[in-house]
Amino acid sequence: MEYALRDAKAHLSRLVKDAQNGKRVVITKHGEPVVELVRCQGQGGIDFDKLEADRRRLGIEDASPEEAEAMFAAFHDPALSRRVLGLEDEE
């Protein structure tokens, strides 16, 4: 749903309620979309329960230190070295 800024001001409470209910609410200015009201998601952070469920669903198991080192070596990209990123002085 699109609303001109003038109309949005007059009906803001209703538009907020619509956005909370998952409806797409776009506010336009001079006919151009400028703002979209969206429902706020939960607080940030990591959902460890969901992470664990996804890990099990994908069959990902904890790696031993040796396996972790092998994975790191397999995916090591020299282009992202400390020197390239400026984290280390050139000699």
Side-chain angles (χ1 to χ4, degrees), residues 61-80:
E61 298 180 14
D62 292 335
S64 70
E66 294 79 20
E67 291 169 324
E69 182 65 30
M71 284 188 279
F72 174 77
F75 290 102
H76 179 67
D77 183 353
L80 296 177

Side-chain angles (χ1 to χ4, degrees), residues 9 24 34 44-45 47-48 51 54-55 58 62 65 68 77 79:
K9 284 192 232 180
R24 185 168 188 258
V34 292
D47 183 343
F48 288 101
L51 185 62
D54 288 342
R55 190 177 70 83
L58 295 170
D62 292 335
D77 183 353

